Amino acid sequence: FDVGAIGLSSLYLDNIHMDSTTPPPMPSDADLRRLVHFSAGDGRIWLAGQRMVLVHMAALGALRRELIQTIGRELARRVLMRAGYAAGERDAALARQVRGEASLADMFVVGPQLHMLEGAVQVTPERLEIEIETGRFEGVFRWDHSWEVETHVRDFGSQDEPVCWMLLGYASGYTSAFMGRPVLYKEVACCACGAPHCRIEGRPLAKWPDGDKMAHDYDADSILMRLEDLRSQVDSLRST
């Protein structure tokens, strides 16, 4: 399991502590909004020097549907989680850049605020405990208006299991990069399953009883190798 080295090593060496079971209100996101630039002349959009793309949610929903129908739900879930993880890692690189002089809490919520600014989901922190030096982390966040719930339920109806795969990957990628060590989240409630809100809980990998299984979702996975294995199994069955 690779956290992804993105130049944040100095972040967890700082002598900064924040331990709050009642997170303060999130700061204004005006500083983040100022980082968004539309360059109409050359057809590019920038977020703090990173190129972005404004994509129709219907297009992302179609891609999600095609993945599920082509490679199956489980593989599609893992692919989308890894895509979200990569996005979270990139956004974590902005936290210290944008709010390097702010409190640890205000620095951390750059991720949730960027997630909202990018149109992915509304995020409300319910519990946040961070100790950078010891690696302690516990976070509980409420999600509303998840784009993944909206598109998944439209295409497949109500579900028995949570469906916010890219959003979950984003939270894990962002927090792992921010903390400099693996921190994974579970979606413990999802609107697609009938809950009033989606809710996630995050903690260090070692604190999850099934952490190894959770981390496996982010391992590189070759679909072609899986298909080759299946073909070998079919050939063996035919011979038998």
Side-chain angles (χ1 to χ4, degrees):
F1 184 83
D2 184 7
V3 174
I6 58 173
L8 288 184
S9 58
S10 61
L11 182 57
Y12 60 86
L13 294 178
D14 290 343
N15 187 24
I16 306 174
H17 299 276
M18 191 278 288
D19 185 349
S20 174
T21 56
T22 306
M26 287 195 287
S28 169
D29 65 353
D31 54 343
L32 303 180
R33 291 178 181 272
R34 286 194 293 268
L35 299 177
V36 181
H37 299 283
F38 292 85
S39 182
D42 56 15
R44 293 183 289 180
I45 303 173
W46 300 97
L47 173 62
Q50 299 182 30
R51 187 172 178 180
M52 309 292 287
V53 179
L54 189 62
V55 181
H56 287 285
M57 191 180 77
L60 287 175
L63 174 61
R64 180 190 184 92
R65 183 173 64 252
E66 290 287 340
L67 281 172
I68 293 173
Q69 293 174 346
T70 303
I71 64 176
R73 178 188 174 100
E74 183 61 21
L75 278 178
R77 179 182 69 86
R78 294 179 60 186
V79 168
L80 293 173
M81 287 177 68
R82 290 198 295 272
Y85 191 100
E89 283 186 313
R90 295 303 298 268
D91 279 355
L94 297 177
R96 192 169 179 82
Q97 174 185 338
V98 177
R99 295 184 184 154
E101 303 301 322
S103 68
L104 185 58
D106 287 354
M107 195 186 305
F108 179 82
V109 298
V110 165
Q113 288 185 305
L114 282 175
H115 226 179
M116 290 192 284
L117 187 60
E118 293 162 359
V121 69
Q122 179 185 3
V123 185
T124 304
E126 294 186 338
R127 181 182 179 88
L128 183 59
E129 299 183 25
I130 305 177
E131 290 181 1
I132 295 293
E133 288 185 338
T134 64
R136 179 186 178 191
F137 181 89
E138 184 176 347
V140 179
F141 300 88
R142 191 185 83 193
W143 282 344
D144 293 283
H145 315 302
S146 160
W147 78 267
E148 289 191 276
V149 166
E150 186 175 329
T151 189
H152 196 99
V153 170
R154 183 181 62 238
D155 289 337
F156 300 103
S158 298
Q159 301 292 301
D160 296 325
E161 297 179 354
V163 301
C164 299
W165 304 329
M166 285 190 75
L167 301 182
L168 193 68
Y170 178 99
S172 295
Y174 178 85
T175 307
S176 294
F178 187 93
M179 295 292 293
R181 63 193 72 199
V183 178
L184 300 183
Y185 287 80
K186 281 186 179 181
E187 188 172 5
V188 297
C190 184
C191 293
C193 304
H197 311 281
C198 298
R199 180 169 283 102
I200 60 170
E201 296 181 4
R203 63 189 67 159
L205 175 62
K207 297 296 183 180
W208 288 110
D210 54 347
D212 290 341
K213 180 180 178 181
M214 293 171 64
H216 182 60
D217 285 333
Y218 298 99
D219 290 341
D221 188 21
S222 172
I223 296 173
L224 291 177
M225 289 182 62
R226 282 176 172 256
L227 292 176
E228 184 64 29
D229 289 342
L230 287 173
R231 186 171 68 176
S232 297
Q233 293 176 32
V234 170
D235 290 342
S236 176
L237 287 171
R238 284 174 175 168
S239 299
T240 303

